[in-house]
Amino acid sequence: MPDRPEAAPEAVDTAPARLSKAAYEKELVRLQTELVRMQEWLVVTGGRLVVVMEGRDTSGKGGTIKRLTERLNPRHYRVVALGTPTERERSQWYFQRYITHLPSAGEIVFFDRSWYNRAGVERVMGFCTDEEYDEFLRTCPQLERALVRSGITLVKYWLSLSDEEQERRFTDRIRNPEKRWKLSDLDLQARAHWVDYAEAKDEMFAYTDIRQAPWYVVDADDKRSARLNLISHLLSMVPYEPVHYPEVKLPHRQQRAYKRPPIDSQTWVPRRYVVD
């Protein structure tokens, strides 16, 4: 069973722009600048934004989050990527450890995987009971509606990946020492349960693709295109406006008698590189 229909319809009527690598990088910088403006608006207005990133292993969630946050003010965003729950966390209400990471006024929180672990890996790999899974499907839509009613902007993305492209990326991780750390035993097991994950995703969508917080599916076979499309869409989801700041004038540098300590009195980092 494929992860998505054979021919996914375009979200817009016009044909997408085809970009070279140089054009991609230029457009990425432009969109990232808009993300900074959006963040400034959220800070000034006290807005709260939650971005949920889900998808199959190797679909590019981490790389997309990296591009989303590359130019943002780190004081006003967080990336949440929770590991395996502790024994104490397992005894809590399932959503409890996620709720504690929700944003305060002026914050953006990016979930690199989220509470939807229960509908995916936990369901497929048997890490939760049928009763726990059923309760998740009942509670999740109610919880997300409550988050939206509270004023949080909740945007959920599913990065859709073809079977062939995932195999290519897994192979690249196996062969590339720089990427091998990304490959876990669960990733390999997920590959063996491809259809189980597809069915779990379909059922998850059936219950949680709600009007107040719909799923937005991103074609992730090409990473560069996926990043641009997702960032552009996210910007359209927040009605931000330019923030006008007062004119800034650099003050004069203080003038007073001062003698710098001798250079050889300090421990300097060796100059192994010099850039012309």
Side-chain angles (χ1 to χ4, degrees):
M1 179 181 295
D3 189 30
R4 60 168 179 268
E6 289 298 323
E10 292 292 343
V12 293
D13 294 333
T14 57
R18 293 191 174 276
L19 304 178
S20 64
K21 182 179 179 182
Y24 155 77
E25 292 174 349
K26 182 178 179 180
E27 180 65 6
L28 179 61
V29 170
R30 186 188 73 80
L31 292 173
Q32 289 175 330
T33 301
E34 288 301 314
L35 284 171
V36 172
R37 292 181 176 132
M38 179 190 77
Q39 184 188 43
E40 289 177 336
W41 181 83
L42 288 169
V43 171
V44 169
T45 61
R48 293 172 292 162
L49 174 61
V50 172
V51 181
V52 170
M53 303 287 285
E54 293 286 348
R56 288 186 180 272
D57 298 308
T58 76
S59 61
K61 297 179 293 296
T64 302
I65 291 175
K66 179 180 178 181
R67 272 68 181 187
L68 280 161
T69 60
E70 208 163 21
R71 298 175 186 271
L72 295 182
N73 184 339
R75 294 183 179 87
H76 300 290
Y77 82 81
R78 286 178 285 120
V79 177
V80 178
L82 301 183
T84 304
T86 64
E87 287 300 320
R88 180 174 182 274
E89 289 171 333
R90 288 193 184 96
S91 70
Q92 297 172 346
W93 178 48
Y94 174 71
F95 293 96
Q96 189 168 335
R97 73 179 189 136
Y98 294 100
I99 286 178
T100 189
H101 295 284
L102 291 175
S104 300
E107 284 189 326
I108 306 173
V109 173
F110 300 91
F111 280 96
D112 186 353
R113 295 200 182 277
S114 64
W115 47 85
Y116 283 102
N117 276 340
R118 175 136 296 178
V121 63
E122 290 192 15
R123 173 63 169 172
V124 172
M125 304 308 298
F127 296 155
C128 67
T129 65
D130 290 342
E131 292 76 15
E132 289 172 331
Y133 173 72
D134 292 340
E135 181 60 26
F136 170 84
L137 293 181
R138 281 192 294 268
T139 304
C140 184
Q142 300 176 41
L143 174 64
E144 292 183 353
R145 290 187 183 101
L147 295 181
V148 173
R149 285 196 304 271
S150 76
I152 289 177
T153 299
L154 173 61
V155 187
K156 304 184 305 194
Y157 290 111
W158 178 269
L159 276 62
S160 182
L161 194 65
S162 68
D163 185 5
E164 295 77 17
E165 179 60 18
Q166 188 190 50
E167 182 172 353
R168 188 194 68 76
R169 294 182 189 180
F170 269 139
T171 302
D172 183 43
R173 288 185 179 184
I174 292 171
R175 294 175 178 174
N176 189 338
E178 294 180 359
K179 298 180 179 180
R180 198 171 297 154
W181 64 270
K182 296 182 177 181
L183 198 63
S184 69
D185 291 338
L186 269 181
D187 293 337
L188 299 177
Q189 293 181 53
R191 178 71 181 164
H193 289 272
W194 174 272
V195 176
D196 294 334
Y197 271 96
E199 292 175 342
K201 174 254 184 181
D202 291 343
E203 186 168 17
M204 178 184 80
F205 268 43
Y207 281 88
T208 63
D209 188 17
I210 58 177
R211 177 180 58 82
Q212 296 85 351
W215 280 103
Y216 295 101
V217 182
V218 181
D219 184 344
D221 268 8
D222 180 79
K223 290 183 178 181
R224 293 188 184 119
S225 300
R227 292 163 187 164
L228 296 182
N229 290 328
L230 189 149
I231 295 173
S232 177
H233 180 268
L234 179 60
L235 290 168
S236 74
M237 298 299 293
V238 180
Y240 68 99
E241 298 177 357
V243 174
H244 299 288
Y245 294 100
E247 183 180 354
V248 177
K249 292 184 178 180
L250 192 65
H252 294 294
R253 184 171 63 87
Q254 184 183 35
Q255 299 292 329
R256 193 176 67 213
Y258 168 73
K259 184 177 181 181
R260 184 177 180 177
I263 291 179
D264 58 6
S265 70
Q266 301 167 343
T267 304
W268 289 74
V269 171
R271 298 183 66 195
R272 293 192 172 93
Y273 306 94
V274 176
V275 178
D276 295 330

PDB file of all heavy atoms in Angstrom, residues 161-184:
ATOM      1  N   LEU A 161       6.309  10.232   1.626  1.00  0.00           N
ATOM      2  CA  LEU A 161       7.501   9.703   0.973  1.00  0.00           C
ATOM      3  C   LEU A 161       7.165   8.426   0.220  1.00  0.00           C
ATOM      4  O   LEU A 161       6.431   7.573   0.713  1.00  0.00           O
ATOM      5  CB  LEU A 161       8.565   9.414   2.041  1.00  0.00           C
ATOM      6  CG  LEU A 161       9.996   9.155   1.599  1.00  0.00           C
ATOM      7  CD1 LEU A 161      10.594  10.398   0.965  1.00  0.00           C
ATOM      8  CD2 LEU A 161      10.832   8.718   2.801  1.00  0.00           C
ATOM      9  N   SER A 162       7.705   8.292  -0.984  1.00  0.00           N
ATOM     10  CA  SER A 162       7.476   7.071  -1.758  1.00  0.00           C
ATOM     11  C   SER A 162       8.367   5.945  -1.242  1.00  0.00           C
ATOM     12  O   SER A 162       9.410   6.177  -0.607  1.00  0.00           O
ATOM     13  CB  SER A 162       7.767   7.314  -3.243  1.00  0.00           C
ATOM     14  OG  SER A 162       9.144   7.542  -3.452  1.00  0.00           O
ATOM     15  N   ASP A 163       7.969   4.729  -1.528  1.00  0.00           N
ATOM     16  CA  ASP A 163       8.729   3.552  -1.120  1.00  0.00           C
ATOM     17  C   ASP A 163      10.141   3.592  -1.698  1.00  0.00           C
ATOM     18  O   ASP A 163      11.137   3.349  -1.009  1.00  0.00           O
ATOM     19  CB  ASP A 163       7.988   2.297  -1.605  1.00  0.00           C
ATOM     20  CG  ASP A 163       8.634   1.015  -1.122  1.00  0.00           C
ATOM     21  OD1 ASP A 163       9.596   1.094  -0.346  1.00  0.00           O
ATOM     22  OD2 ASP A 163       8.177  -0.068  -1.535  1.00  0.00           O
ATOM     23  N   GLU A 164      10.245   3.946  -2.974  1.00  0.00           N
ATOM     24  CA  GLU A 164      11.542   3.933  -3.646  1.00  0.00           C
ATOM     25  C   GLU A 164      12.499   4.972  -3.051  1.00  0.00           C
ATOM     26  O   GLU A 164      13.689   4.711  -2.855  1.00  0.00           O
ATOM     27  CB  GLU A 164      11.363   4.199  -5.145  1.00  0.00           C
ATOM     28  CG  GLU A 164      10.587   3.132  -5.898  1.00  0.00           C
ATOM     29  CD  GLU A 164       9.085   3.215  -5.654  1.00  0.00           C
ATOM     30  OE1 GLU A 164       8.623   4.285  -5.166  1.00  0.00           O
ATOM     31  OE2 GLU A 164       8.381   2.219  -5.926  1.00  0.00           O
ATOM     32  N   GLU A 165      11.973   6.166  -2.767  1.00  0.00           N
ATOM     33  CA  GLU A 165      12.826   7.219  -2.225  1.00  0.00           C
ATOM     34  C   GLU A 165      13.267   6.889  -0.806  1.00  0.00           C
ATOM     35  O   GLU A 165      14.412   7.165  -0.424  1.00  0.00           O
ATOM     36  CB  GLU A 165      12.096   8.559  -2.254  1.00  0.00           C
ATOM     37  CG  GLU A 165      12.892   9.732  -1.682  1.00  0.00           C
ATOM     38  CD  GLU A 165      14.196  10.013  -2.405  1.00  0.00           C
ATOM     39  OE1 GLU A 165      14.366   9.541  -3.550  1.00  0.00           O
ATOM     40  OE2 GLU A 165      15.059  10.694  -1.819  1.00  0.00           O
ATOM     41  N   GLN A 166      12.381   6.286  -0.003  1.00  0.00           N
ATOM     42  CA  GLN A 166      12.797   5.909   1.340  1.00  0.00           C
ATOM     43  C   GLN A 166      13.909   4.865   1.292  1.00  0.00           C
ATOM     44  O   GLN A 166      14.882   4.934   2.053  1.00  0.00           O
ATOM     45  CB  GLN A 166      11.619   5.361   2.154  1.00  0.00           C
ATOM     46  CG  GLN A 166      12.018   5.142   3.622  1.00  0.00           C
ATOM     47  CD  GLN A 166      10.993   4.379   4.426  1.00  0.00           C
ATOM     48  OE1 GLN A 166      10.529   3.324   4.012  1.00  0.00           O
ATOM     49  NE2 GLN A 166      10.644   4.903   5.591  1.00  0.00           N
ATOM     50  N   GLU A 167      13.796   3.912   0.386  1.00  0.00           N
ATOM     51  CA  GLU A 167      14.846   2.898   0.256  1.00  0.00           C
ATOM     52  C   GLU A 167      16.173   3.544  -0.120  1.00  0.00           C
ATOM     53  O   GLU A 167      17.226   3.173   0.403  1.00  0.00           O
ATOM     54  CB  GLU A 167      14.446   1.862  -0.798  1.00  0.00           C
ATOM     55  CG  GLU A 167      15.465   0.739  -0.948  1.00  0.00           C
ATOM     56  CD  GLU A 167      14.979  -0.377  -1.851  1.00  0.00           C
ATOM     57  OE1 GLU A 167      13.798  -0.346  -2.248  1.00  0.00           O
ATOM     58  OE2 GLU A 167      15.772  -1.283  -2.153  1.00  0.00           O
ATOM     59  N   ARG A 168      16.134   4.518  -1.027  1.00  0.00           N
ATOM     60  CA  ARG A 168      17.368   5.194  -1.433  1.00  0.00           C
ATOM     61  C   ARG A 168      17.992   5.919  -0.252  1.00  0.00           C
ATOM     62  O   ARG A 168      19.209   5.874  -0.040  1.00  0.00           O
ATOM     63  CB  ARG A 168      17.072   6.189  -2.558  1.00  0.00           C
ATOM     64  CG  ARG A 168      18.322   6.806  -3.190  1.00  0.00           C
ATOM     65  CD  ARG A 168      17.986   7.999  -4.034  1.00  0.00           C
ATOM     66  NE  ARG A 168      17.498   9.126  -3.234  1.00  0.00           N
ATOM     67  CZ  ARG A 168      18.286   9.915  -2.506  1.00  0.00           C
ATOM     68  NH1 ARG A 168      19.598   9.704  -2.464  1.00  0.00           N
ATOM     69  NH2 ARG A 168      17.775  10.907  -1.814  1.00  0.00           N
ATOM     70  N   ARG A 169      17.160   6.575   0.571  1.00  0.00           N
ATOM     71  CA  ARG A 169      17.690   7.326   1.708  1.00  0.00           C
ATOM     72  C   ARG A 169      18.203   6.403   2.800  1.00  0.00           C
ATOM     73  O   ARG A 169      19.216   6.700   3.460  1.00  0.00           O
ATOM     74  CB  ARG A 169      16.609   8.274   2.254  1.00  0.00           C
ATOM     75  CG  ARG A 169      16.240   9.373   1.278  1.00  0.00           C
ATOM     76  CD  ARG A 169      15.200  10.333   1.847  1.00  0.00           C
ATOM     77  NE  ARG A 169      14.708  11.241   0.820  1.00  0.00           N
ATOM     78  CZ  ARG A 169      13.808  12.181   1.023  1.00  0.00           C
ATOM     79  NH1 ARG A 169      13.277  12.352   2.228  1.00  0.00           N
ATOM     80  NH2 ARG A 169      13.418  12.977   0.029  1.00  0.00           N
ATOM     81  N   PHE A 170      17.523   5.286   3.033  1.00  0.00           N
ATOM     82  CA  PHE A 170      18.032   4.310   3.988  1.00  0.00           C
ATOM     83  C   PHE A 170      19.394   3.786   3.542  1.00  0.00           C
ATOM     84  O   PHE A 170      20.325   3.659   4.347  1.00  0.00           O
ATOM     85  CB  PHE A 170      17.052   3.139   4.133  1.00  0.00           C
ATOM     86  CG  PHE A 170      16.027   3.326   5.216  1.00  0.00           C
ATOM     87  CD1 PHE A 170      14.714   2.944   5.017  1.00  0.00           C
ATOM     88  CD2 PHE A 170      16.376   3.857   6.445  1.00  0.00           C
ATOM     89  CE1 PHE A 170      13.761   3.099   6.009  1.00  0.00           C
ATOM     90  CE2 PHE A 170      15.432   4.023   7.451  1.00  0.00           C
ATOM     91  CZ  PHE A 170      14.123   3.637   7.225  1.00  0.00           C
ATOM     92  N   THR A 171      19.524   3.472   2.270  1.00  0.00           N
ATOM     93  CA  THR A 171      20.790   2.969   1.739  1.00  0.00           C
ATOM     94  C   THR A 171      21.894   3.998   1.921  1.00  0.00           C
ATOM     95  O   THR A 171      23.032   3.674   2.277  1.00  0.00           O
ATOM     96  CB  THR A 171      20.639   2.608   0.251  1.00  0.00           C
ATOM     97  OG1 THR A 171      19.601   1.631   0.111  1.00  0.00           O
ATOM     98  CG2 THR A 171      21.939   2.055  -0.306  1.00  0.00           C
ATOM     99  N   ASP A 172      21.549   5.273   1.696  1.00  0.00           N
ATOM    100  CA  ASP A 172      22.531   6.344   1.866  1.00  0.00           C
ATOM    101  C   ASP A 172      22.973   6.440   3.315  1.00  0.00           C
ATOM    102  O   ASP A 172      24.157   6.651   3.609  1.00  0.00           O
ATOM    103  CB  ASP A 172      21.912   7.673   1.409  1.00  0.00           C
ATOM    104  CG  ASP A 172      22.892   8.824   1.492  1.00  0.00           C
ATOM    105  OD1 ASP A 172      24.065   8.644   1.097  1.00  0.00           O
ATOM    106  OD2 ASP A 172      22.507   9.913   1.949  1.00  0.00           O
ATOM    107  N   ARG A 173      22.051   6.267   4.253  1.00  0.00           N
ATOM    108  CA  ARG A 173      22.411   6.324   5.670  1.00  0.00           C
ATOM    109  C   ARG A 173      23.325   5.158   6.052  1.00  0.00           C
ATOM    110  O   ARG A 173      24.252   5.325   6.854  1.00  0.00           O
ATOM    111  CB  ARG A 173      21.146   6.302   6.538  1.00  0.00           C
ATOM    112  CG  ARG A 173      20.361   7.592   6.495  1.00  0.00           C
ATOM    113  CD  ARG A 173      19.189   7.575   7.468  1.00  0.00           C
ATOM    114  NE  ARG A 173      18.454   8.832   7.430  1.00  0.00           N
ATOM    115  CZ  ARG A 173      17.427   9.134   8.217  1.00  0.00           C
ATOM    116  NH1 ARG A 173      17.011   8.239   9.112  1.00  0.00           N
ATOM    117  NH2 ARG A 173      16.825  10.303   8.117  1.00  0.00           N
ATOM    118  N   ILE A 174      23.066   3.999   5.495  1.00  0.00           N
ATOM    119  CA  ILE A 174      23.883   2.823   5.803  1.00  0.00           C
ATOM    120  C   ILE A 174      25.310   3.018   5.311  1.00  0.00           C
ATOM    121  O   ILE A 174      26.280   2.654   5.981  1.00  0.00           O
ATOM    122  CB  ILE A 174      23.252   1.566   5.173  1.00  0.00           C
ATOM    123  CG1 ILE A 174      21.922   1.232   5.879  1.00  0.00           C
ATOM    124  CG2 ILE A 174      24.210   0.374   5.265  1.00  0.00           C
ATOM    125  CD1 ILE A 174      21.129   0.135   5.188  1.00  0.00           C
ATOM    126  N   ARG A 175      25.463   3.630   4.155  1.00  0.00           N
ATOM    127  CA  ARG A 175      26.780   3.755   3.520  1.00  0.00           C
ATOM    128  C   ARG A 175      27.546   4.992   3.958  1.00  0.00           C
ATOM    129  O   ARG A 175      28.773   5.038   3.840  1.00  0.00           O
ATOM    130  CB  ARG A 175      26.605   3.788   1.993  1.00  0.00           C
ATOM    131  CG  ARG A 175      26.066   2.482   1.427  1.00  0.00           C
ATOM    132  CD  ARG A 175      25.798   2.623  -0.066  1.00  0.00           C
ATOM    133  NE  ARG A 175      25.324   1.363  -0.659  1.00  0.00           N
ATOM    134  CZ  ARG A 175      24.902   1.243  -1.914  1.00  0.00           C
ATOM    135  NH1 ARG A 175      24.897   2.307  -2.712  1.00  0.00           N
ATOM    136  NH2 ARG A 175      24.485   0.077  -2.368  1.00  0.00           N
ATOM    137  N   ASN A 176      26.842   6.014   4.451  1.00  0.00           N
ATOM    138  CA  ASN A 176      27.470   7.287   4.764  1.00  0.00           C
ATOM    139  C   ASN A 176      27.743   7.385   6.269  1.00  0.00           C
ATOM    140  O   ASN A 176      26.808   7.458   7.060  1.00  0.00           O
ATOM    141  CB  ASN A 176      26.562   8.439   4.314  1.00  0.00           C
ATOM    142  CG  ASN A 176      27.254   9.786   4.415  1.00  0.00           C
ATOM    143  OD1 ASN A 176      28.213   9.955   5.166  1.00  0.00           O
ATOM    144  ND2 ASN A 176      26.769  10.748   3.653  1.00  0.00           N
ATOM    145  N   PRO A 177      29.030   7.396   6.676  1.00  0.00           N
ATOM    146  CA  PRO A 177      29.343   7.463   8.119  1.00  0.00           C
ATOM    147  C   PRO A 177      28.761   8.691   8.803  1.00  0.00           C
ATOM    148  O   PRO A 177      28.472   8.657  10.000  1.00  0.00           O
ATOM    149  CB  PRO A 177      30.878   7.497   8.139  1.00  0.00           C
ATOM    150  CG  PRO A 177      31.304   6.928   6.821  1.00  0.00           C
ATOM    151  CD  PRO A 177      30.241   7.319   5.843  1.00  0.00           C
ATOM    152  N   GLU A 178      28.589   9.794   8.048  1.00  0.00           N
ATOM    153  CA  GLU A 178      28.067  11.011   8.641  1.00  0.00           C
ATOM    154  C   GLU A 178      26.573  10.905   8.953  1.00  0.00           C
ATOM    155  O   GLU A 178      26.044  11.693   9.734  1.00  0.00           O
ATOM    156  CB  GLU A 178      28.303  12.196   7.703  1.00  0.00           C
ATOM    157  CG  GLU A 178      29.767  12.541   7.509  1.00  0.00           C
ATOM    158  CD  GLU A 178      29.948  13.721   6.576  1.00  0.00           C
ATOM    159  OE1 GLU A 178      28.927  14.241   6.072  1.00  0.00           O
ATOM    160  OE2 GLU A 178      31.104  14.127   6.341  1.00  0.00           O
ATOM    161  N   LYS A 179      25.895   9.955   8.325  1.00  0.00           N
ATOM    162  CA  LYS A 179      24.457   9.824   8.515  1.00  0.00           C
ATOM    163  C   LYS A 179      24.059   8.543   9.238  1.00  0.00           C
ATOM    164  O   LYS A 179      22.890   8.349   9.545  1.00  0.00           O
ATOM    165  CB  LYS A 179      23.740   9.868   7.153  1.00  0.00           C
ATOM    166  CG  LYS A 179      23.921  11.167   6.399  1.00  0.00           C
ATOM    167  CD  LYS A 179      23.177  11.134   5.071  1.00  0.00           C
ATOM    168  CE  LYS A 179      23.320  12.452   4.314  1.00  0.00           C
ATOM    169  NZ  LYS A 179      22.602  12.432   3.017  1.00  0.00           N
ATOM    170  N   ARG A 180      25.030   7.688   9.512  1.00  0.00           N
ATOM    171  CA  ARG A 180      24.691   6.391  10.087  1.00  0.00           C
ATOM    172  C   ARG A 180      24.038   6.506  11.456  1.00  0.00           C
ATOM    173  O   ARG A 180      23.236   5.663  11.854  1.00  0.00           O
ATOM    174  CB  ARG A 180      25.958   5.525  10.166  1.00  0.00           C
ATOM    175  CG  ARG A 180      25.679   4.035  10.325  1.00  0.00           C
ATOM    176  CD  ARG A 180      26.943   3.229  10.165  1.00  0.00           C
ATOM    177  NE  ARG A 180      27.509   3.383   8.824  1.00  0.00           N
ATOM    178  CZ  ARG A 180      28.808   3.235   8.534  1.00  0.00           C
ATOM    179  NH1 ARG A 180      29.660   2.971   9.495  1.00  0.00           N
ATOM    180  NH2 ARG A 180      29.232   3.383   7.296  1.00  0.00           N
ATOM    181  N   TRP A 181      24.354   7.579  12.183  1.00  0.00           N
ATOM    182  CA  TRP A 181      23.756   7.770  13.508  1.00  0.00           C
ATOM    183  C   TRP A 181      22.246   7.938  13.432  1.00  0.00           C
ATOM    184  O   TRP A 181      21.537   7.723  14.418  1.00  0.00           O
ATOM    185  CB  TRP A 181      24.382   8.975  14.204  1.00  0.00           C
ATOM    186  CG  TRP A 181      24.129  10.289  13.518  1.00  0.00           C
ATOM    187  CD1 TRP A 181      24.902  10.872  12.565  1.00  0.00           C
ATOM    188  CD2 TRP A 181      23.022  11.170  13.713  1.00  0.00           C
ATOM    189  NE1 TRP A 181      24.361  12.066  12.152  1.00  0.00           N
ATOM    190  CE2 TRP A 181      23.201  12.279  12.845  1.00  0.00           C
ATOM    191  CE3 TRP A 181      21.897  11.150  14.540  1.00  0.00           C
ATOM    192  CZ2 TRP A 181      22.288  13.333  12.782  1.00  0.00           C
ATOM    193  CZ3 TRP A 181      20.992  12.198  14.471  1.00  0.00           C
ATOM    194  CH2 TRP A 181      21.201  13.274  13.605  1.00  0.00           C
ATOM    195  N   LYS A 182      21.748   8.348  12.259  1.00  0.00           N
ATOM    196  CA  LYS A 182      20.311   8.553  12.096  1.00  0.00           C
ATOM    197  C   LYS A 182      19.547   7.230  12.007  1.00  0.00           C
ATOM    198  O   LYS A 182      18.317   7.219  12.093  1.00  0.00           O
ATOM    199  CB  LYS A 182      20.032   9.358  10.828  1.00  0.00           C
ATOM    200  CG  LYS A 182      20.577  10.773  10.836  1.00  0.00           C
ATOM    201  CD  LYS A 182      20.192  11.502   9.555  1.00  0.00           C
ATOM    202  CE  LYS A 182      20.661  12.933   9.549  1.00  0.00           C
ATOM    203  NZ  LYS A 182      20.250  13.640   8.298  1.00  0.00           N
ATOM    204  N   LEU A 183      20.252   6.142  11.803  1.00  0.00           N
ATOM    205  CA  LEU A 183      19.612   4.845  11.554  1.00  0.00           C
ATOM    206  C   LEU A 183      19.509   4.059  12.853  1.00  0.00           C
ATOM    207  O   LEU A 183      20.512   3.765  13.491  1.00  0.00           O
ATOM    208  CB  LEU A 183      20.419   4.063  10.519  1.00  0.00           C
ATOM    209  CG  LEU A 183      19.744   2.896   9.817  1.00  0.00           C
ATOM    210  CD1 LEU A 183      18.561   3.381   8.995  1.00  0.00           C
ATOM    211  CD2 LEU A 183      20.741   2.179   8.924  1.00  0.00           C
ATOM    212  N   SER A 184      18.291   3.729  13.251  1.00  0.00           N
ATOM    213  CA  SER A 184      18.074   2.963  14.481  1.00  0.00           C
ATOM    214  C   SER A 184      17.452   1.609  14.151  1.00  0.00           C
ATOM    215  O   SER A 184      16.997   1.367  13.027  1.00  0.00           O
ATOM    216  CB  SER A 184      17.148   3.736  15.426  1.00  0.00           C
ATOM    217  OG  SER A 184      15.832   3.795  14.892  1.00  0.00           O
TER     218      SER A 184
END
